[in-house]
Amino acid sequence: MVRHVTIDPITRLEGHGKIDVILNDEGGVDHAYFQVPELRGFEQFLVGRPAEDAAQITSRICGVCPMAHHMAAAKAMDDLFRVECAPTGKLIREWCYNGFTFEDHALHFYFLGGPDFVVGPTAPKAQRNILGVIGEVGVEAGKKVIAMRREVREMITTIAGKIIHPVFGLPGGVARRVSKDEQKQCIEISEHAVEFGLFSLQLLRDLVLANKQYVEYITSEGYTHNTYYMGLVDENNHVNFYDGMLRVVDPEGKEFAKFDVHDYIEQIDEHVEPWSYIKFPYLKQVGWKGFEEGRDSGVFAVAPLARLNASDGMSTPKAQEAFEEFYDTLGGKPVHHTLATHWARLIELLSAAEMMLDIAKNDAFTGEHIRNIPTATPAEGMGVVEAPRGTLFHHYQTDEDGIITMANLIVATQNNAARIAMSVDRAARTLINNGQVDDGILNMVEMAFRAYDPCHGCATHALPGQMPLIVRVYDANHRLAQEIRRDP
Amino acid sequence: MPDDVSLPIAEDFQPRIIAFFCNWCTYTASDLAGTSRMTYAPNTRVIRVMCSGRIDPQFVLAALRKGADGVLLGGCHPGDCHYQAGNYKCLRRFRLLKRLLTQLGIEEERVRLEWIAASEGDRVQKVTNEMVEQIRKLGPLRLEKIPTHPNGEAAPAPAEPMATATEGAVS
Amino acid sequence: MIMEKKSPQEELRIGVYVCHCGANIASKVDVESTRDFAAKLPHVTVARDYKFACSDPGQELIQKDIKELGLNRVVVASCSPQLHEKTFRNACADVGLSPFYVQMANIREHVSWVTEDPELATRKAKSLVAAAVRRLAFAAPLETKRVPVHPDVLIVGGGIAGIHASLILANAGRKVFLVEREPTIGGHMAQFDKTFPTMDCAACILTPKMSDVKNHPNIMMWTYSEVEEVAGFTGNFKVTVRRKARYIKEELCVGCNDCVEACVLKKDRVQVPDEFNVGLSRRKAVYMPFPQSTPACVVIDPEQCLQLMKGKCAQTCVEACERAAIDFDQSDEIVEIDVGAIIIATGYKPFEARRIAEYGYGKFANVYTTLEIERLVNASGPTGGELRLRDGTTPKVAGVIHCVGSRDRRYNPYCSNVCCMGALKMAHLIKERTGAEVFNFYVDMRTAFKGYEEFYDQILSEGVQFVRGRVAEVTDWAMTDEEKGKLVIRVEDTLVGVARRIPVDMVVLAIGLEPQADAGEIQRKFNISCSNEGFFLERHPKLGPVSTFTDGIFLAGACQGPKDIPETVAQAGAAAAEALCLVDKGFVEIEPNTAWIDEEVCSGCKTCIPLCPFKAISRDEEKRIAVINEALCKGCGTCVAACPSGAAQQNLFTDEQIYEEIEGVLSYA
Amino acid sequence: MSKPKAGFYWCASCGGCEESVVDLAEAILDVVDAIDFVFFPVAMDFKREDVEAMEDGEMTVCFINGALRTSEHREMAELLRRKSQFLIAYGSCSYQGGIPGLANLYSRSQILDFVYGGSPSTANPEGNRPQPHFHAPEGDLELPTFDSEVKALDQVVDVDFYLPGCAPPPSLLKAAVEALLSGELPPKGSVLAPDKALCEDCPRIDSKPNEPLISEFKRPWEIEIDHEKCLLAQGLLCLGPATRSGCDHVCINGNMPCTGCMGPVSRVQDHGSAILSALASLIDSDDPQKIDDVLEGIPDPAGTFYRYGLPHSTLFAKCGITQGNGET
């Protein structure tokens, strides 16, 4: 009798995850454990480094969202050296940041999470990738995706120094000015980006929303959790990726808390489990009640779906329309269906594109004064941004020379860890019965967390490493009874 | 190579010290120590360079990596360099190298810079004996044993929370 | 990444020769086991030990192996390369092996002579041999560079050493610059009255040589001048000389001394002690050091001259000078000269007798130094040659104390070499001039050279009394009536074994010789070395007595150590010969240890450019990389160690060679 | 005829190296035409079994990025070594240990103590620590453990070529692939990038004085950084003089100094001490005190000079098949 199912490791996410499904004697799921098996200790070896290097060192936590870490650190540096970011510097940061959010969301939709929908969850494995997507949407559209990302990333490279591990962020602003010519290019690219955003949403409508089966997945119990949601919002409680206040809404969608990054310690604690390297953040004011949903459990979610749930809308018109369409279709706020995250992501993608355009058109974008030189003695600084995968906290303490003495990072996927664990458990319970385990089911289990676009590289500040999915089924005596591949 | 290819490191530990001496002052001084029959500890191995300015920090690290327990740099007194200023370049590098080594947890005494003039055979004797004694106290340099705090003092051997065979302190 | 090691093409055949150096090495280092160890090292074709590798048979042995065994590399484990590297390089070159395929392992100076434990000594020797063998793998057959030599010679110091050396070189047709800081040449010898052992008059033998110097067409005699700075290297020195303002037009002055007569500084107390007469007389602001001064030209002391100090003076001297030679507007002149060789003959400083308080010099009027007596007995001296006490009376009893400041741990541990003979000369002169009874107080009588012992005998026969014992004290505290008004010399007569008190009228201190006060400064300027007591260090006590560690710079006279006149003159001759053979050869062979830039690797980062003290590195704007001017490079290797690309390399000291050496010594430490 | 087979695997990497492949953009389609990717976890669902099933040397080339710290990394490295004719260390981590290699400055216990204890946001009253073996009520759970230190690839398996950069410039990847396809390969052990330091093609080299003496080191936030002038000449710690070029000096274009991700040129054994020597030699003082004052401007020599290469540094290098320290 099958007792123990291992999915190790999970593919097409940045980072390393592991799922253990343990069955009971009836073949039902006893518990599915979602494990993250690595740790790198960035926080430790940041100690002794000059504070300004944190922006470049922490970006190496994740090569997929280096900009998020770079920017969170840069904002923490502003705070640390008690210097306002120069307005032009802020615009330059924001253009790059929205550009990054845009292309990263595109990466996930078309390369990582998308295939499940665009190609189909049970499609042959050789097609469940970008090439499959291209096959589905046509080479022209495929090239369009690639070209779009290239354009944005090349532009960011020019402005930020590098796209993979940027260098431009400094306390008080950025290192490099934007020329008038570059501004023109930025405007052009931003315009393409907006079109691309609309194109992608249309693609979603045509290929996913039009497909009854997929919509069922999205709304099915297996992919639904009533939890708290957190995200950055601007002064109008609209979604903002770069800056703002942190807003938390309860499972009914009512504002539960709104706080400044400096209060994160009051709001968030990290719970430790002996079976995973990842720590599980929860709302301190509610408390840790285990992997439970509902308003009495401190478990909360971040990332696109959460950001939409935690906000009152988008700050840009086209995205706002999409926002409304989203909630109308799915029955109002908040939406608890994990798989709706993919849709939310495309709405953010469009919003990011629109913001890029606004910024690029701003005359101050090419200003001379890009950075304020700090004069204060550094001591402690915190910074927060909305990484594509959710809220990202950087917190540093230094000596008077600005040498780091303490670094604490709470990263996007980590904030989702508890909910991901629950999703996986729930998906497994729903999908696996009588010990019947097959690849299709397992991929759908995987979809449960892939929706979060989890980055365990980030989450554990660990060393991501990917392996094909293998399922090992153990009998009652833990002897390997059967090995299943996720083959068609 | 013969079988007795390396010093027994044991109760009577013989430190291995590589000395880079400049041709004009310090090397000559150690020749003078010889002609004056000043006996001193047999633990140094002198490598002659024309000027202390030729001493590349890479040599120092290589020596330590290859098994030296200490490295002694010798040059002409400030102002006396046969090449006018090579010894100052050596000094500049040494000051920075020191900072690096300290940060990496290598004890101060293991790398030393001395100005020794051609006539100071006795200083070669004194400095060598001194250094050998200091390093004898420190014991052999085991690079594997060096995890460090940024401030440089060696980290305490960690009580590993995760009991697995392979674990040890990081170095 | 791993550095690619360019291993030599041809198969290595290394011969290792372990030298016994008689017992010098063999008594500590087990040469046989070292030989056997070497024999087992990779690429070693043959390993031998030999009694004296540097001997002809030793060298022939090596040459034979090169020819018969086809050796292409040679390791000689013997003494310091400073000593015999050239010897073995030449030996190999003679049989067609590149001299730079020879590697020395210094197992004498660095091992056998400094190590107590034979077992550890052998260990050390082996590791040095191992290193030498490994290093050779990366040796290259370099070309020795030849650099033309400037034919002129600079001689620093116009004492008898400098004078003699100048004349030899000038007579050999070389142009000589003789730089003397005093207003006249002659040095200490000019102050002497007589010279031992022959007692011929110092002036009589010296002044002719002085005027020869003055008149020699090949000699530029620059008195009242000092070397400011020395740049360059053997064969091509650039020397900056400061010619101090004399305030006299040297070419016009004939030394008539009318100006001296005319100088307004009349009264003794406004005049200053006369240096030449060691303060026994006084001189005016304008003066001629002594009658035979060379050049015969007065000088004005700016510290004394009212005109120069206060800007107002009757300027009687100017009136007095018919040749209008006086020029108050003169100022120091800086001259730059190029020379191929330099001889340093800066002499010595007499021991300061005041330092030994118990001898009462400076406290008791009638305690003199030998130098003072020289002046007092000299016909042109302050008393016109009359030897009188300060009160004008003639001494009846005199005591001459030897070893004053010499062979005395409190002052100078060394023997000043000349004082014994000098003291005997004193005894003789005092007796001769005053008929006084003379006691000589000596520790050991050192009269080791030609005619010296005979001179000692002569003095003995003249009835001078010799008391063996170091004088404890000179005191005016009389214990008996006969001691009243006298100076009492307290001494233990070690021959008789009794303490004695000897009352005398005059005490003469035979003061020793010390390095010049500014010897350290000279050492720095010329980049040579000093021995511990501060005299300049010769390259080798036996084989290089007049050479220094800086090629092209030689030593003559007492600046290298206490010497009397005969020895000084001999050494001056030797130094002149060495300098002559350098400049006559016309070129110097430069050790080809110069640095070069690997164009393939240099990024043109400019790091090396400011590091070169010889401005040998510049940027090739075409290739946008650094280039080293080999002619200017002196081979210090500073740029090599600083190059962040490893593009700069130094011949004979490549990175590979040094890494091999490091691994070599550690492979068997 | 069949296309050459290739693999692209990540050990302990941040994913940036994968992104750098994606950044081939349109060119990636040509690459996919020319090469048959038989193992590429980030993009495709092929499995370890598929690799194990291959003949030894069946893959023409395999690119491995990321440093190595777990037994799993080592196993995969060894497996892929066996299965490929050419093994290429891809990216700074695989080449020299990379930024995660800075962890070698600390012991694992120091790391764990902070993460699960010291961190201000951690609530861990029970003092829980992740356990390699955990007995959950429903059954046993396993976590992999990892090595005491971070290693570079050539400290575990034999490496044919190195492709440096954090992340490697797509242009170099493209060139490498072309070289592999054409078979025109440099000697084994070569770094597939220009063998000259960054100053070579630095757009600011002409603004660097011919005598670039240093009287003060500045930290980038302390000054207005001139957009044209040599950064070293502005007092910023730029590792360009000691760091391999080939990165199109993107950081310099971003008006920030080079931090050395491309590693040293081939004649340099130890990147950190090479730049150390160059910079220190240029300090414009002979007075020990003044020299020290200038050096205060380099608060973190180890983290600065060995930012990407601590595990590969002369002092910290771990013995392996190839030691990057001239030990051959």
Side-chain angles (χ1 to χ4, degrees), chain B residues 5 7 30-31 40 45 54 119, chain C residues 80 114 127 530 653 655 667 669:
Chain B
V5 285
L7 271 180
S30 55
D31 278 359
Y40 53 83
R45 303 289 182 263
R54 173 68 181 94
S119 57
Chain C
S80 169
V114 293
S127 71
C530 282
F653 295 90
D655 288 344
S667 70

Side-chain angles (χ1 to χ4, degrees), chain A residues 442-463:
Chain A
L442 290 169
N443 186 43
M444 285 186 273
V445 172
E446 270 194 89
M447 283 164 61
F449 63 75
R450 199 177 291 133
Y452 296 91
D453 184 11
C455 174
H456 301 121
C458 289
T460 62
H461 326 155
L463 311 162

Side-chain angles (χ1 to χ4, degrees), chain B:
Chain B
M1 297 286 285
D3 16 326
D4 59 341
V5 285
S6 70
L7 271 180
I9 296 164
E11 62 288 333
D12 78 324
F13 156 58
Q14 289 287 4
R16 315 205 283 179
I17 298 173
I18 300 282
F20 295 97
F21 284 172
C22 87
N23 180 66
W24 303 100
C25 289
T26 317
Y27 191 90
T28 306
S30 55
D31 278 359
L32 180 61
T35 36
S36 323
R37 308 296 200 281
M38 301 172 173
T39 57
Y40 53 83
N43 306 66
T44 49
R45 303 289 182 263
V46 177
I47 291 176
R48 184 171 68 111
V49 288
M50 292 312 289
C51 176
S52 53
R54 173 68 181 94
I55 303 170
D56 186 329
Q58 291 188 89
F59 298 160
V60 178
L61 300 186
L64 295 173
R65 155 59 48 188
K66 308 288 180 173
D69 302 298
V71 177
L72 172 60
L73 316 183
C76 307
H77 284 274
D80 290 2
C81 176
H82 188 79
Y83 303 97
Q84 294 179 27
N87 51 354
Y88 290 120
K89 313 295 190 305
C90 180
L91 172 69
R92 297 171 189 173
R93 296 173 192 140
F94 176 74
R95 302 304 302 180
L96 183 48
L97 184 61
K98 274 300 243 208
R99 287 167 179 253
L100 175 71
L101 292 175
T102 317
Q103 205 185 1
L104 296 181
I106 307 249
E107 300 89 339
E108 277 279 319
E109 300 84 344
R110 291 200 189 265
V111 180
R112 185 164 166 175
L113 170 63
E114 287 292 337
W115 305 135
I116 302 179
S119 57
E120 298 178 311
D122 51 334
R123 268 189 67 68
V124 173
Q125 179 187 44
K126 180 170 162 299
V127 167
T128 308
N129 288 337
E130 236 173 58
M131 193 166 173
V132 170
E133 255 335 288
Q134 287 170 329
I135 292 181
R136 207 184 288 282
K137 287 199 190 72
L138 293 176
L141 172 63
R142 299 194 197 286
L143 289 174
E144 284 59 30
K145 271 216 320 260
I146 305 175
T148 58
H149 299 292
N151 61 19
E153 92 253 359
E160 285 303 328
M162 310 195 41
T164 61
T166 63
E167 302 302 353
V170 184
S171 60

Side-chain angles (χ1 to χ4, degrees), chain B residues 65 103 148-149 158 167 170, chain D residues 105 109-110 146 148 300 302 315:
Chain B
R65 155 59 48 188
Q103 205 185 1
T148 58
H149 299 292
E167 302 302 353
V170 184
Chain D
L105 285 169
S109 64
Q110 285 172 299
F146 50 104
S148 55
D300 175 27
L315 221 46

Side-chain angles (χ1 to χ4, degrees), chain A residues 145-204:
Chain A
V145 176
I146 292 171
M148 187 69 244
R149 287 192 81 240
R150 194 199 68 241
E151 273 186 77
V152 175
R153 288 173 70 87
E154 281 176 357
M155 198 63 230
I156 295 177
T157 304
T158 308
I159 299 174
K162 281 161 78 186
I163 177 66
I164 304 171
H165 310 312
V167 299
F168 72 142
L170 283 173
V174 294
R176 185 188 179 283
R177 279 183 217 99
V178 172
S179 72
K180 295 278 181 206
D181 296 4
E182 287 159 355
Q183 180 180 32
K184 282 200 199 68
Q185 299 173 47
C186 288
I187 294 172
E188 225 170 86
I189 292 166
S190 305
E191 282 160 347
H192 297 170
V194 176
E195 292 166 28
F196 184 85
L198 296 166
F199 159 83
S200 300
L201 271 169
Q202 194 49 48
L203 195 81
L204 180 90

Side-chain angles (χ1 to χ4, degrees), chain A residues 50 84 254 259 280 393 463:
Chain A
E84 274 297 313
K254 294 194 199 55
F259 61 94
F280 300 91
F393 297 91
L463 311 162

Side-chain angles (χ1 to χ4, degrees), chain C residues 38-340:
Chain C
K40 298 199 205 89
L41 293 173
H43 308 303
V44 172
T45 309
V46 61
R48 305 184 193 278
D49 62 298
Y50 194 77
K51 206 116 196 81
F52 288 102
C54 59
S55 67
D56 287 352
Q59 297 184 46
E60 283 151 16
L61 175 70
I62 297 170
Q63 294 172 320
K64 189 159 160 291
D65 285 350
I66 293 173
K67 281 181 278 182
E68 293 174 4
L69 304 176
L71 301 182
N72 50 23
R73 300 283 190 283
V74 171
V75 170
V76 183
S78 57
C79 50
S80 169
Q82 306 265 26
L83 206 58
H84 272 311
E85 189 170 55
K86 284 204 168 54
T87 312
F88 295 106
R89 280 181 172 180
N90 295 337
C92 292
D94 290 347
V95 291
L97 181 66
S98 164
F100 302 104
Y101 282 154
V102 178
Q103 183 66 41
M104 302 273 296
N106 185 347
I107 63 168
R108 192 180 72 174
E109 284 82 348
H110 287 190
V111 181
S112 66
W113 278 351
V114 293
T115 312
E116 262 153 17
D117 179 329
E119 194 257 339
L120 292 174
T122 306
R123 225 173 245 298
K124 187 172 180 181
K126 288 176 180 176
S127 71
L128 294 180
V129 169
V133 167
R134 288 190 65 152
R135 195 184 198 281
L136 266 182
F138 294 93
L142 303 159
E143 288 294 316
T144 315
K145 278 209 323 287
R146 286 185 170 192
V147 175
V149 168
H150 195 286
D152 301 352
V153 179
L154 165 71
I155 295 176
V156 187
I160 180 59
I163 289 169
H164 188 70
S166 307
L167 288 170
I168 289 180
L169 287 160
N171 292 336
R174 294 290 147 214
K175 186 168 174 198
V176 175
F177 294 90
L178 176 59
V179 174
E180 164 61 49
R181 82 166 120 197
E182 297 302 327
T184 173
I185 59 170
H188 285 111
M189 184 173 175
Q191 292 174 290
F192 298 161
D193 182 54
K194 296 273 188 295
T195 58
F196 60 74
T198 48
M199 295 311 267
D200 37 10
C201 136
C204 314
I205 55 174
L206 179 63
T207 44
K209 286 172 92 67
M210 287 164 67
S211 41
D212 287 356
V213 167
K214 171 89 184 68
N215 302 326
H216 204 300
N218 289 344
I219 300 179
M220 307 290 294
M221 184 182 74
W222 288 350
T223 55
Y224 212 49
S225 305
E226 288 189 68
V227 170
E228 290 267 302
E229 196 193 337
V230 181
F233 265 72
T234 177
N236 296 281
F237 294 99
K238 261 210 179 326
V239 185
T240 318
V241 180
R242 171 181 297 273
R243 304 205 57 189
K244 291 177 281 184
R246 228 182 160 103
Y247 305 103
I248 302 292
K249 299 205 178 77
E250 198 172 325
E251 62 285 6
L252 294 183
C253 178
V254 289
C256 63
N257 282 329
D258 293 352
C259 53
V260 180
E261 287 311 313
C263 179
V264 296
L265 296 186
K266 294 267 184 282
K267 286 175 251 56
D268 269 7
R269 59 185 165 69
V270 293
Q271 298 177 358
V272 285
D274 175 329
E275 296 83 358
F276 188 76
N277 285 329
V278 282
L280 292 168
S281 63
R282 290 175 170 274
R283 62 161 176 78
K284 294 182 172 177
V286 57
Y287 66 100
M288 169 117 55
F290 65 100
Q292 302 93 332
S293 286
T294 311
C297 172
V298 294
V299 57
I300 297 179
D301 177 355
E303 306 297 305
Q304 280 298 309
C305 172
L306 298 173
Q307 180 59 33
L308 289 170
M309 288 192 310
K310 308 207 173 70
K312 56 175 161 53
C313 173
Q315 302 195 14
T316 46
C317 54
V318 180
E319 295 165 28
C321 181
E322 292 168 353
R323 300 176 56 86
I326 296 170
D327 172 8
F328 288 115
D329 304 330
Q330 236 176 41
S331 61
D332 292 8
E333 187 188 350
I334 304 295
V335 206
E336 218 185 53
I337 55 173
D338 296 304
V339 296

